[in-house]
Amino acid sequence: MTRQSETATDGGTDERTPDEMSLDELREEIQTIDREIVELIAQRTYVADTIAQVKAEQDLPTTDEKQEQQVMDRAGENAEQFDVDANLVKAIFRLLIELNKVEQRDSR
């Protein structure tokens, strides 16, 4: 898998593959990806908080096992699509789900 990155000099894209990049450039790429992951987690948390509000208004339970299973199934499918260890991805999603459930319970 290759990823385009911004060059420091001209603001354009760098078409090199990761094996053509220096260690510092690769670490910068990891920093960018990490920031994007955190941003996506924040977005997901915001939406989950909104779901918690809707559940509270509709007097629905915090836990929806069917929905959780659908999330886990999608996580596994996405992992396979991107050739990432499905068990690892599912573990991450299990943690995200549990964190959202704790926040939903605390907000009630």
Side-chain angles (χ1 to χ4, degrees), residues 66-97:
K66 182 180 176 185
Q67 179 61 26
E68 288 178 26
Q69 186 58 52
Q70 290 174 347
V71 170
M72 297 303 290
D73 291 345
R74 281 194 311 267
E77 291 167 6
N78 287 331
E80 290 173 9
Q81 178 183 353
F82 290 100
D83 196 27
V84 179
D85 184 282
N87 289 326
L88 174 63
V89 171
K90 287 181 178 182
I92 292 168
F93 273 81
R94 174 58 52 205
L95 180 59
L96 290 171
I97 289 169

Side-chain angles (χ1 to χ4, degrees), residues 2 4 16 23-24 31 34 37 39 46 53 55-56 58 61-62 64 67 76 93 96 101 105:
T2 61
Q4 292 182 342
R16 294 179 299 158
L23 182 58
D24 286 341
Q31 290 175 3
D34 289 349
I37 289 170
E39 181 180 352
Y46 173 79
Q53 292 172 6
K55 285 181 176 180
Q58 297 180 7
T62 300
D64 182 344
Q67 179 61 26
F93 273 81
L96 290 171
K101 285 166 53 173
R105 285 188 203 110

Side-chain angles (χ1 to χ4, degrees), residues 16-60:
R16 294 179 299 158
T17 62
D19 58 341
E20 296 172 324
M21 298 170 73
S22 73
L23 182 58
D24 286 341
E25 290 171 323
L26 290 167
R27 286 180 174 159
E28 286 178 27
E29 187 75 6
I30 289 288
Q31 290 175 3
T32 299
I33 293 167
D34 289 349
R35 185 177 55 250
E36 292 170 359
I37 289 170
V38 172
E39 181 180 352
L40 291 171
I41 290 171
Q43 290 174 358
R44 189 182 197 284
T45 300
Y46 173 79
V47 173
D49 289 345
T50 305
I51 289 170
Q53 292 172 6
V54 171
K55 285 181 176 180
E57 290 169 5
Q58 297 180 7
D59 199 29
L60 296 171

